[in-house]
Amino acid sequence: MKDPGIIQSFSNHKEKICCNGNLFIISAPSGAGKTTLCRAVLDRIPDMLYSVSYTTRKPRKGEQNGIDYYFITENDFKNRLKNGKWAEWADVYGNYYGTSSEFIDTSLASGRDILLDIDFQGTLQILDQYHDSITIFIMPPSLDILKLRLQSRGTDSKHIISRRIDAAETDMKNKDSYRHVIINNKLSVAVADLISVIKKYRTDRNADKER
Ligand code: 5GP
């Protein structure tokens, strides 16, 4: 059977201002393959910048400070919040996550495209300020497959997995708020779909620049 790939595509959002970079927001329930998809995008589009989030959660095995996240203390996070340093922030599973305003603003102003991997709460905050952000939701093929993926990843306890499944159900209810929805059934197809969505906006921007 043909992979369903991109199942939804809205284009009723504001047009972007010529020559600033594009802000691509990717959200997905955990286990849907978002990290792998983001890495594939960064590999294939080398001038795309990745917004490394800040978090108060402890690093998982193999995660590196400054690459996967900036791992900071709760105190540090709250100080930055007080000083208006976050473009958006959220409390996810009892840990804080935030995106640096300075990074977003300086990168966009210098014409760079940015990939943001954030949740729905963060997406709404970013859309509030950066109206022409391009939002993409990654769906797992089903909740059963998601559960299997989370179990085989072996990074979370049973309790956390069941919390993530509940959260995934809630997250998936928000998928219609995203401009594009991609089903990660077969990884190679999902990568191709995602790259083709991103490249379309990049081509449109280059056309704007030439006008
Ligand atoms: P994890 O701890 O599994 O890496 O991420 C948990 C959730 O936090 C994921 O849904 C991820 O998209 C979200 N997340 C990661 N960084 C940020 C961020 O900077 N802001 C927001 N709002 N969510 C984030």
Side-chain angles (χ1 to χ4, degrees), residues 34 53 57 60 69 88 90 92 97-99 117-119 122:
K34 183 179 46 171
S53 294
R57 116 159 136 58
R60 294 194 189 112
Y69 284 104
E88 64 76 36
V92 185
Y97 294 79
T99 300
D117 163 357
I118 58 175
D119 72 349

Side-chain angles (χ1 to χ4, degrees), residues 29-43:
S30 54
K34 183 179 46 171
T35 307
T36 313
L37 285 165
C38 286
R39 285 202 184 119
V41 169
L42 297 169
D43 276 353

Side-chain angles (χ1 to χ4, degrees), residues 172-195:
M172 280 151 67
K173 290 192 185 125
N174 296 322
K175 73 174 169 47
D176 293 340
S177 307
Y178 287 73
R179 220 194 281 197
H180 301 275
V181 175
I182 291 174
I183 300 177
N184 185 5
N185 190 9
K186 189 161 186 261
L187 186 64
S188 58
V189 177
V191 167
D193 288 343
L194 183 56
I195 304 265

Side-chain angles (χ1 to χ4, degrees), residues 54-56 77 81 86-99 118-123 125:
Y54 291 69
T55 184
T56 60
F77 193 96
L81 179 60
W86 302 132
E88 64 76 36
W89 68 278
D91 179 343
V92 185
Y93 309 123
N95 294 306
Y96 294 115
Y97 294 79
T99 300
I118 58 175
D119 72 349
F120 183 60
Q121 318 169 55
T123 301
Q125 295 171 57

